[in-house]
Amino acid sequence: MNAMGPARVLVVDDAVVFRKAITDALADDPDVTVVGTASNGRLALLKIPLLNPDVVTLDVEMPELDGLATLAEIRRQWPKLPVIMCSSFTSEGAVTTMKALDQGANDFIAKPAGVGGMAEAMAALRKELLPRIKALTGRSTAGLVSRTRPAVSMPHAPSPSVTLGGSGPVTLVPAPMTQRRLDMLVIGSSTGGPNALADVLPLLPSDLPVPVLLVQHMPAMFTKLLADRLTEKGAFPVREATDGAIAKPGEAWIAPGGFHVVVKKDGERFVLRLTQDMPENSCRPAVDVLFRSVAQLSVPTLAVVLTGMGEDGLRGAQLLHAAGNPVLAQDQATSVVWGMPGAIAKAGIASAILPLNAIAAEIVKRLRHGRPAWNGAVRSRQPAAV
């Protein structure tokens, strides 16, 4: 990455209109500069060593060398170079984008569809692309712990007593009553989240004694594909949430793009409700909405916040923590963007800050409390497909 200055962006797309749209959308921000464009992957690979970009926006479908093949070569030659995929909002584009995330893309945006004209398209691109570029290149606090806005004060939040963000586990003072039996697992993630979830969920045992509820910032269509991908990799089903679904132990539900998920109790049953209330933290689904609804149930819950930009999940996690529920946060070293988990750490409400490869084991360990008959064990990692 270049010395701190405007983030240098290489725009790769076979459509001249879209290359111009991205270039124009980014033009007015002093923290970002487009240093070049390329109409296909072959040209992009030639330009990267010449232009030394900080981030590449990469079209999924291109002639000569498509997005997946280009991404594979970028990862081979420049493994640390951030890549944001630009996907058409179609089922085929979504499938290819999920493959790109599997192959190491850092994030993606869906190309504007159904907007009124170029001005609206540029506004949509600016809203979706700029925060990602800044977070992935460190040009914005969107991906970092806020240094200027204090976290909401909560009654039981301890102050961190160690340096945060190391590569190993860092245990902080736990919230009260964390040794009780936990009856629900809730997980929030954003940038880098699909791959983080694919690293954590498949290691959890098939006889998990609690339901799992997930919020990953993704648009509609993509969340269904993510659920299918996680089901294929793991030992229990992951489904896109539907209104009225009953969340049971040994299965997971992911909030669908465009909808918040809240949890209601019907006797002993956990009932999922979908809403299209206003976005929170510019997100729908929002982690805060799910966490807050669970906190209101007074159900002992384990919360996990994984990689992602911004602070979505912080306020909901504070409510869960204040009620005596443990909150785990991914560490800085293994996060694509240490925004969401970093906010948890900075607020002092993390029961533990862990590298990604230690989170599944910590989840299983904490779910064993109060369950002497449950012998759940972390599953072995499956070898990567050749």
Side-chain angles (χ1 to χ4, degrees):
M1 183 179 292
N2 297 294
M4 193 62 69
R8 298 166 60 84
V9 182
L10 174 62
V11 177
V12 186
D13 198 290
D14 65 317
V16 64
V17 172
F18 199 71
R19 294 199 301 273
K20 177 174 172 50
I22 289 183
T23 301
D24 291 349
L26 303 180
D28 293 334
D29 195 295
D31 294 325
V32 175
T33 182
V34 175
V35 294
T37 64
S39 59
N40 61 60
R42 294 194 189 281
L43 290 174
L45 295 174
L46 292 173
K47 289 189 175 187
I48 288 173
L50 300 175
L51 299 174
N52 193 25
D54 295 306
V55 63
V56 174
T57 68
L58 185 59
D59 187 21
V60 167
E61 300 170 7
M62 296 181 294
E64 296 194 43
L65 197 67
D66 66 14
L68 290 179
T70 305
L71 174 65
E73 191 61 24
I74 290 175
R75 282 290 159 262
R76 188 182 73 82
Q77 295 192 50
W78 304 281
K80 301 294 186 181
L81 178 60
V83 176
I84 301 172
M85 305 303 294
C86 297
S87 168
S88 59
F89 202 82
T90 64
S91 57
E92 183 179 351
V95 169
T96 306
T97 299
M98 295 305 299
K99 291 179 180 177
L101 293 174
D102 267 337
Q103 294 178 17
N106 298 85
D107 206 349
F108 76 97
I109 63 165
K111 291 184 177 180
V115 294
M118 182 57 72
E120 289 83 356
M122 285 175 54
L125 284 170
R126 193 175 295 114
K127 176 184 176 183
E128 296 298 323
L129 195 51
L130 267 175
R132 286 168 167 80
I133 291 172
K134 291 183 178 184
L136 288 170
T137 60
R139 266 67 176 185
S140 169
T141 57
L144 306 172
V145 179
S146 172
R147 305 295 182 188
T148 57
R149 183 166 56 122
V152 176
S153 176
M154 299 301 291
H156 300 297
S159 299
S161 57
V162 296
T163 301
L164 304 178
S167 58
V170 182
T171 302
L172 302 180
V173 179
M177 299 170 59
T178 55
Q179 299 303 306
R180 61 183 173 173
R181 193 182 91 164
L182 302 171
D183 292 323
M184 185 175 291
L185 171 60
V186 293
I187 303 176
S189 55
S190 184
T191 308
N195 285 342
L197 291 169
D199 280 345
V200 172
L201 290 189
L203 301 186
L204 299 180
S206 59
D207 61 342
L208 207 66
V210 301
V212 184
L213 304 178
L214 311 168
V215 171
Q216 161 67 41
H217 296 159
M218 270 183 158
M221 190 184 314
F222 292 88
T223 45
K224 171 64 166 63
L225 292 171
L226 177 59
D228 293 344
R229 173 194 181 204
L230 294 172
T231 297
E232 182 180 342
K233 289 177 177 288
F236 52 83
V238 181
R239 303 184 181 94
E240 194 175 47
T242 55
D243 192 63
I246 307 300
K248 301 176 183 177
E251 60 185 27
W253 298 87
I254 186 168
F259 290 86
H260 296 304
V261 168
V262 298
V263 187
K264 304 290 184 181
K265 280 202 77 175
D266 179 10
E268 295 301 311
R269 302 190 308 171
F270 298 120
V271 182
L272 305 184
R273 293 296 180 191
L274 304 186
T275 81
Q276 286 192 302
D277 292 343
M278 292 295 293
E280 294 193 22
N281 309 301
S282 301
C283 301
R284 192 175 62 206
V287 181
D288 269 334
V289 173
L290 172 64
F291 282 14
R292 184 172 62 241
S293 76
V294 173
Q296 291 169 349
L297 298 178
S298 300
V299 173
T301 298
L302 174 60
V304 180
V305 180
L306 301 175
T307 174
M309 64 182 179
E311 294 185 346
D312 187 28
L314 171 60
R315 285 161 180 76
Q318 287 172 319
L319 293 173
L320 287 167
H321 170 84
N325 298 293
V327 181
L328 308 181
Q330 185 177 348
D331 74 354
Q332 185 172 11
T334 63
S335 294
V336 174
V337 177
W338 206 54
M340 288 166 49
I344 300 296
K346 182 66 175 178
I349 61 172
S351 300
I353 301 167
L354 300 160
L356 185 63
N357 63 9
I359 288 176
E362 186 70 13
I363 289 172
V364 171
K365 182 180 78 172
R366 288 177 180 269
L367 293 182
R368 285 201 193 105
H369 292 316
R371 292 187 173 89
W374 183 57
N375 296 316
V378 176
R379 302 173 72 230
S380 61
R381 294 185 181 274
Q382 300 299 313
V386 178

